[in-house]
Amino acid sequence: MRKKSREMSAEWALEVFDKAPFITVSMASADGNPYGLPLSLVRTDEKTFWFHCATEGKKLDVLKANPRVFLSAVTRCRPLRGPKDGSFTLEFHSATAVGKVDIVEDENTRKEALRAICMRFLPHQMEGFEEAVSRSLQKTAVVRITLTEPPVGKRKQYDANGDEMKYGRME
């Protein structure tokens, strides 16, 4: 990280991932071509993220050929004029991480991952979960991402006095 003064903790980075409406998952195909998609992920512990998709398609083909992925998310993104110098700048919270995927075969694990995804995005609609899963489980792939190194957080944020909050300073 070039500006160490903006680096935040791994725990803080995980919170950014939790708050982001989507996380961009970047990967590389067998021939080295980049491929990235914004996906709706859920995190169930410090190292494990989940998403679901169709049981066939480019995303799964790429992940089967090369299971390494890069995650990135940005929240609290706000363009502004620098409070003290009038420069054009951007406040943000961001997080990145590196991981490895596996396509989950165990039916119980798949159901629990889908339950976690639904709880994150539709917690007030869970009364329909069992019926929806019974209709769609056979045509739904579940993918687990396990982080292979700690996530990295970065922030640019100003306090009420217009001073940048550096070195993880919280208020």
Side-chain angles (χ1 to χ4, degrees):
M1 180 172 305
R2 187 176 63 84
K3 289 199 172 185
K4 294 296 266 183
S5 65
R6 293 186 179 151
E7 185 172 7
M8 301 298 286
S9 70
E11 293 79 21
W12 187 92
L14 289 172
E15 288 180 24
V16 170
F17 283 126
D18 291 343
K19 292 175 183 173
F22 63 87
I23 298 170
T24 300
V25 179
S26 301
M27 54 199 95
S29 62
D31 61 5
N33 281 319
Y35 189 62
L37 297 165
L39 299 173
S40 300
L41 272 65
V42 66
R43 179 176 69 91
T44 54
D45 62 36
E46 290 74 27
K47 290 186 171 190
T48 311
F49 290 80
W50 306 86
F51 70 89
H52 75 290
C53 59
T55 56
E56 56 184 36
K58 182 174 182 175
K59 177 175 41 247
L60 286 182
D61 292 343
V62 170
L63 291 172
K64 288 174 184 174
N66 182 357
R68 296 188 61 208
V69 295
F70 184 82
L71 309 179
S72 62
V74 179
T75 62
R76 296 191 55 174
C77 189
R78 182 174 76 112
L80 68 129
R81 295 283 306 273
K84 299 233 172 170
D85 65 4
S87 62
F88 288 79
T89 190
L90 184 70
E91 279 188 322
F92 62 87
H93 291 181
S94 68
T96 61
V98 175
K100 187 171 183 177
V101 304
D102 64 287
I103 299 161
V104 180
E105 300 296 333
D106 178 72
E107 187 170 303
N108 289 331
T109 303
R110 292 170 62 219
K111 284 181 181 178
E112 287 310 306
L114 291 169
R115 183 180 310 283
I117 293 167
C118 291
M119 283 297 296
R120 176 173 184 213
F121 294 103
L122 289 168
H124 303 305
Q125 301 290 322
M126 293 305 291
E127 72 278 354
F129 176 79
E130 293 298 332
E131 180 186 339
V133 165
S134 68
R135 277 194 325 266
S136 63
L137 189 62
Q138 297 312 312
K139 55 186 175 187
T140 302
V142 172
V143 179
R144 175 178 29 231
I145 300 173
T146 304
L147 300 186
T148 55
E149 50 191 76
V152 176
K154 185 175 178 180
R155 170 188 77 179
K156 184 173 187 182
Q157 183 176 336
Y158 294 95
D159 65 15
N161 297 319
D163 294 316
E164 187 177 343
M165 297 169 57
K166 295 184 177 184
Y167 298 103
R169 190 181 108 208
M170 303 303 281
E171 291 195 355

